[in-house]
Amino acid sequence: MPPNTTASTGQQPGKSGRKKGRRARLFVIVLVLAVVAGVTGGAYWSISTVRASFPQTKGSITLDGLSGPVDVKRDGYGIPQIYASSDEDLFMAQGFVQAQDRFYEMDVRRHMTSGRLSEMFGKSQVDNDEFLRTLGWNRVAEEEYEKTLSPSTKKYLQAYAKGVNAYLDGKANKDISLEYAALGFANDYKPQKWTPVDSIAWLKAMAWDLRGNMQDEIDRALMTSRLGPKEIQDLYPDYPYGRNKTIVQAGQYDEVTKTFEQGSASSAGSSADSSTSGTGTAAGSDGAGLQSQLSGLQDALDDLPTAVGVNGNGIGSNSWVVGGKYTITGKPLLANDPHLSASLPSVWYQMGLHCRSVSSKCQYDASGYTFAGMPGVVIGHNQNISWGMTNSGVDVTDLYLEKLSGDGYLYDGKTRPFTKREETIKVAGGAPKKIVVRETDNGPLLSDRSSELVKVGKKATVDTAAPDRGDGYGISLRWTALQAGTTMDAVFAMDKAKNWNDFRAAGALFDVPSQNLIYADTEGNIGYTLPGRIPTRPQGYDGSVPAPGWDSKSRWTGYIDDDELPYEYNPSRGYIVTANQAVVDKAKYPYTLTTDWGYGARSQRITDLIQSKIDDGGKISTEDMRQMQLDNSSEIAKLLVPKLLKIDIDDKNVRDAQELLEGWDYTQDADSAAAAYFNSVWRNILKLAFGNKLPKELRVKGQCLWVDPVNTTGPADDTDKVRECGERDADQAQPDGGDRWFEVVRSLMDDEKSDWWTTPKNGTRPAATDRDGLFKRAMIDARWELTAKLGKDIDTWSWGRLHRLFLKNQTLGTDGPGFLQYALNRGPWKLSGGEATVNASGWNAAGGYGVVWVPSMRMVVNLGDLDKSKWINLTGASGHAYNAHYTDQTDKWADGELLDWSFSNDAVDESTSDTLVLKP
């Protein structure tokens, strides 16, 4: 039975000795800046200072190292199209141009990926650097550059770095970006030269934020302090295979004869159904030790800067492709919109990379989205094919509870020595700090990075099922991205792929992070492939909770072979949809890819929209694809609203709010009062039914409850209750309201007397003992919550007033003095859309209504006429505040508009506003 809880009306909690500043704080010179601004601000922030770093976009510049002239043509949005006569010139120019627009962003990113933020921002970043050095992204990137990448990839990386450094050559800090001008008040920091490894390491940051189910693994283990196995299972229901279609429905997992139907869940690896006893070993052996370790690990994860995503549940992406049979053009249409955390500038950079004449000397003619700091095009099209990506969500990380003893760790009854390395962290304005990174055979000891974790590991209690405690416990991480890989090779291979076979071969190199890759070509073919280095586990272990590191039987057994990974090519249904749902039906595939798919709300809605158009006999256009991307329909509203309208409400004010739902079409437009009220009801249902019953480690920091003490059976007297306050950041807390929670509520709807539907009285708010009683309470609470936030007059309510997007510079705009935040940040925008909606402007129901992640870009590629393709970015091409292209796409993005996407020489020339010639 879920524990009995009562809302606290007491004082908000203090820090209680917990580590301060749990979110990344990249601003450490606030006091200095504030003082200088007060004295000399007016003189310093002159127009010349602001404009000093704006890029030259006309005329010519001489660059040492070019073999011939390169043209950089920018359109009215500052998006560059580069024309060169050799591969090396093309990528050198790419490095130069990206540095012109985004070098500060690139510099911060490389300091993050290498664990060197303290060099720029001082001692506040030491903890983050220690954790990132322990992960060792930069070390793995160095190994990739030296050992696994192809000679051609190395050559392109070198050319790119040469272009970046050509931009930096001879420039003062203030001529690079406004942020460096601000940093100049506090230190004498000078950017170092760019290296090929700096580009490769960014892929590790991308992999970290798209790493799969690690957060679910932590959450499930933390839940055991207050919930039993049945309750935890309620909160992680099975994927609804019968209702929400998988990506691959009739495909193969090799290119010859093996179909899914020939596999079985027990034939290899492990299955979710057979894993319960094995995965419970670590937690069952030392519940208290594991709880303490994972709670501390969560603190460390909360602190880390976000790279490209949000370290939580619910985030995802959409991509789909429709074959020519069902399109107006008779050729495929391909759409993609990755959902990532909002950042300023956008994580994406739009550009075209064109060889004047495609040949063995110059092989590329591609256009699309890439990352500032990385050569090539990551998502987009070339003259023959187009491709898109969504996160596959396959499980490529496992946490291990390690038994530590002396200078080693236990493994099959014997003590093994740690692998060690020493790291020196340089600190701006302070003394360097040395740390020792220890690794087991499973991976680095993340728990070493917190003195609190080390302490609780030594105090952890054990039972007879675990080995003697000795020096305590630690947590290690095994992750595929900590092995040298070939993803950088994959980027260049996709950029020049001519057909499906080329594309699959390129995809096979895309080992980390594992992505759903969709495909279309100008010949009319469509396809899907799942690449990636995906581990297999022994029987009894499925990666859903931490495993016992001291038992060799818990180790990975290998990796799924490339020719056994799922794919589809020209399926008879005529389209393919990927939106983070299950890739394959687990009953028809021999390996467990993960136990934590997205639950398919978005993917099924996209499928239904496509199929509805087909069933009506219509042909799908580029505009239809755009409209699908903007679909705001709420799947959970369709389930709940009919029930909510049947509930008898006494209070006229609440009844007025209830009437907003009558006739509502479940569409979450920014101006909808009904959407505002429903989402508040949904948030309160989740809080009352589930959130108040979760352990403090999953609840929002500062939200306090009176609860039964842990390890009590049945409700306690009010005098026995203890006050517990949440510990997690608002955008990471649970229940987040994503489509897993849709499925949780759906599965409990018919059990009207479930213990989950109970909640105690709170002040004048009634207690609930069944489903409709809890729904009624949520409707009351929602009415008064919105009265406080939006006013008593419901005619003034709108979803957009609650659901707002703020774009913040991820360093100096996060916690700086007001004048600098004003200079660097933008917003708010009132957005349509919502959680697990196709137009996925995500919000965390535990923390509030503000936008947490967004469609970071949108594109629709027309394979019948590439010049009729469309695209948009979240912000703009420039990373320079007050540049015309800083956020010049954001208003159109918020309105759901797409820009013309020129590709052919004639179309690019017609759209060109500025031309810069780079001369050797």
Side-chain angles (χ1 to χ4, degrees), residues 594-852:
T594 186
T595 60
D596 294 298
W597 301 113
Y599 280 77
R602 282 179 290 108
S603 62
Q604 193 57 43
R605 175 63 177 171
I606 296 166
T607 297
D608 291 344
L609 290 170
I610 295 171
Q611 193 61 52
S612 175
K613 189 78 172 180
I614 292 172
D615 291 344
D616 289 344
K619 296 288 187 177
I620 295 173
S621 67
T622 299
E623 175 62 14
D624 292 327
M625 299 285 273
R626 184 188 74 87
Q627 291 287 353
M628 292 177 191
Q629 288 180 323
L630 302 180
D631 184 79
N632 293 319
S633 178
S634 169
E635 296 304 301
I636 191 61
K638 294 176 185 177
L639 175 69
L640 292 182
V641 166
K643 303 290 185 186
L644 298 176
L645 289 173
K646 291 179 180 179
I647 292 174
D648 188 20
I649 300 292
D650 299 325
D651 188 312
K652 179 184 182 302
N653 290 300
V654 181
R655 211 164 49 244
D656 288 345
Q658 182 187 34
E659 289 173 359
L660 290 172
L661 304 179
E662 295 179 359
W664 180 43
D665 63 358
Y666 314 122
T667 302
Q668 301 170 97
D669 293 332
D671 60 0
S672 170
Y677 182 59
F678 172 76
N679 281 320
S680 182
V681 173
W682 170 235
R683 180 179 184 231
N684 280 280
I685 287 173
L686 291 171
K687 178 181 177 181
L688 295 170
F690 310 105
N692 289 350
K693 297 158 189 172
L694 296 176
K696 63 183 184 297
E697 292 88 355
L698 275 71
R699 299 201 315 269
V700 175
K701 186 194 309 181
Q703 292 185 0
C704 303
L705 302 169
W706 289 99
V707 300
D708 294 343
V710 176
N711 299 326
T712 59
T713 57
D717 294 332
D718 286 343
T719 55
D720 295 329
K721 292 183 182 293
V722 296
R723 190 165 178 271
E724 282 189 352
C725 297
E727 298 178 353
R728 190 168 289 188
D729 286 333
D731 61 358
Q732 309 291 311
Q734 292 292 332
D736 61 24
D739 64 356
R740 171 163 70 88
W741 293 99
F742 292 10
E743 203 62 30
V744 168
V745 170
R746 185 187 296 274
S747 65
L748 292 169
M749 285 293 286
D750 293 336
D751 187 2
E752 297 182 31
K753 297 293 185 180
S754 168
D755 288 336
W756 291 111
W757 301 129
T758 63
T759 191
K761 180 180 180 181
N762 181 26
T764 60
R765 309 290 168 81
T769 58
D770 59 16
R771 184 196 70 192
D772 288 352
L774 186 135
F775 285 4
K776 180 176 182 179
R777 166 72 179 276
M779 294 172 76
I780 296 169
D781 288 358
R783 176 27 158 148
W784 299 115
E785 179 188 11
L786 293 197
T787 296
K789 291 180 180 295
L790 302 179
K792 187 174 182 179
D793 184 0
I794 63 175
D795 291 336
T796 68
W797 291 2
S798 70
W799 176 225
R801 288 180 62 195
L802 291 171
H803 193 54
R804 299 186 300 167
L805 170 67
F806 291 85
L807 292 176
K808 293 187 176 184
N809 177 287
Q810 293 302 291
T811 57
L812 304 187
T814 304
D815 285 299
F819 85 93
L820 197 55
Q821 291 199 32
Y822 179 82
L824 298 175
N825 298 340
R826 300 292 183 269
W829 284 266
K830 298 176 180 179
L831 296 189
S832 301
E835 182 56 49
T837 301
V838 180
N839 186 15
S841 54
W843 55 286
N844 185 301
Y849 303 99
V851 177
V852 178

Side-chain angles (χ1 to χ4, degrees), residues 91 94 98 351 353 369-370 374-378 488 491-492 495:
F91 295 117
Q94 183 182 18
Q98 286 192 344
M351 70 188 321
L353 300 172
Y369 298 83
T370 188
M374 206 176 87
V377 169
V378 176
M488 198 69 244
V491 172
F492 294 114
D495 285 355

Side-chain angles (χ1 to χ4, degrees), residues 13-34:
K15 294 290 184 181
S16 302
R18 299 185 63 79
K19 187 167 55 178
K20 297 182 179 180
R22 288 169 47 171
R23 293 306 291 169
R25 298 293 183 246
L26 295 183
F27 190 84
V28 298
I29 54 173
V30 175
L31 181 60
V32 175
L33 276 175

Side-chain angles (χ1 to χ4, degrees), residues 1-5 217-232 235 283-284 286-295 545 691-699 707-714 722 724-725 727-728 756:
M1 176 178 180
N4 193 352
T5 58
E217 191 174 341
I218 292 171
D219 287 355
R220 268 189 293 263
L222 289 173
M223 285 179 184
T224 59
S225 68
R226 286 212 166 268
L227 302 177
K230 173 61 170 63
E231 284 79 28
I232 295 175
L235 303 187
D286 178 20
L290 184 63
Q291 290 286 320
S292 299
Q293 291 286 298
L294 289 178
S295 178
V545 296
N692 289 350
K693 297 158 189 172
L694 296 176
K696 63 183 184 297
E697 292 88 355
L698 275 71
R699 299 201 315 269
V707 300
D708 294 343
V710 176
N711 299 326
T712 59
T713 57
V722 296
E724 282 189 352
C725 297
E727 298 178 353
R728 190 168 289 188
W756 291 111

Side-chain angles (χ1 to χ4, degrees), residues 308-619:
V308 297
V310 174
N311 296 324
N313 300 312
I315 199 168
S317 303
N318 303 322
S319 68
W320 66 93
V321 60
V322 180
K325 179 180 178 181
Y326 297 120
T327 69
I328 287 177
T329 66
K331 290 292 177 71
L333 294 170
L334 185 150
N336 196 188
D337 55 288
H339 307 155
L340 302 170
S341 61
S343 60
L344 180 61
S346 167
V347 69
W348 297 108
Y349 185 91
Q350 298 155 285
M351 70 188 321
L353 300 172
H354 308 279
C355 289
R356 294 191 179 95
S357 177
V358 176
S359 65
S360 59
K361 180 182 178 183
C362 197
Q363 305 172 74
Y364 295 89
D365 189 14
S367 182
Y369 298 83
T370 188
F371 302 120
M374 206 176 87
V377 169
V378 176
I379 294 174
H381 69 81
N382 60 30
Q383 68 272 43
N384 297 304
I385 75 166
S386 178
W387 65 97
M389 299 183 192
T390 63
N391 193 25
S392 71
V394 299
D395 187 0
V396 297
T397 60
D398 275 349
L399 294 171
Y400 286 88
L401 183 64
E402 303 282 5
K403 190 272 173 183
L404 312 182
S405 180
D407 201 31
Y409 59 97
L410 199 72
Y411 188 77
D412 282 349
K414 297 181 180 179
T415 299
R416 290 187 173 185
F418 295 111
T419 301
K420 296 181 181 180
R421 69 176 187 273
E422 186 174 86
E423 299 269 355
T424 300
I425 298 171
K426 297 178 181 178
V427 182
K433 181 176 181 180
K434 291 186 177 182
I435 64 169
V436 175
V437 177
R438 301 189 296 175
E439 295 188 3
T440 72
D441 280 354
N442 291 313
L445 274 177
L446 304 185
S447 48
D448 275 359
R449 298 285 66 85
S450 166
S451 58
E452 181 181 350
L453 287 185
V454 173
K455 188 186 302 180
V456 298
K458 291 184 177 182
K459 291 181 178 179
T461 57
V462 297
D463 60 26
T464 55
D468 292 339
R469 186 184 73 248
D471 290 338
Y473 286 102
I475 293 286
S476 65
L477 170 69
R478 187 162 191 190
W479 178 31
T480 55
L482 299 183
Q483 304 169 51
T486 55
T487 300
M488 198 69 244
D489 284 340
V491 172
F492 294 114
M494 281 191 286
D495 285 355
K496 64 180 180 181
K498 293 183 172 65
N499 52 46
W500 172 245
N501 289 336
D502 287 352
F503 181 73
R504 282 208 78 201
L509 299 171
F510 206 105
D511 46 14
V512 178
S514 175
Q515 298 286 287
N516 296 311
L517 299 181
I518 60 165
Y519 167 93
D521 62 37
T522 56
E523 298 298 316
N525 302 299
I526 64 173
Y528 161 85
T529 189
L530 175 71
R533 184 186 294 140
I534 303 172
T536 56
R537 296 171 175 85
Q539 191 73 19
Y541 295 91
D542 64 1
S544 61
V545 296
W550 55 81
D551 187 352
S552 61
K553 295 177 181 178
S554 68
R555 293 291 300 274
W556 293 354
T557 57
Y559 301 94
I560 302 175
D561 291 340
D562 289 340
D563 64 0
E564 293 185 302
L565 290 169
Y567 77 93
E568 274 192 329
Y569 185 58
N570 290 331
S572 59
R573 65 184 178 279
Y575 58 87
I576 301 170
V577 176
T578 89
N580 316 110
Q581 79 271 38
V583 172
V584 294
D585 190 326
K586 69 177 181 180
K588 298 178 181 179
Y589 187 67
Y591 301 101
T592 295
L593 296 172
T594 186
T595 60
D596 294 298
W597 301 113
Y599 280 77
R602 282 179 290 108
S603 62
Q604 193 57 43
R605 175 63 177 171
I606 296 166
T607 297
D608 291 344
L609 290 170
I610 295 171
Q611 193 61 52
S612 175
K613 189 78 172 180
I614 292 172
D615 291 344
D616 289 344
K619 296 288 187 177

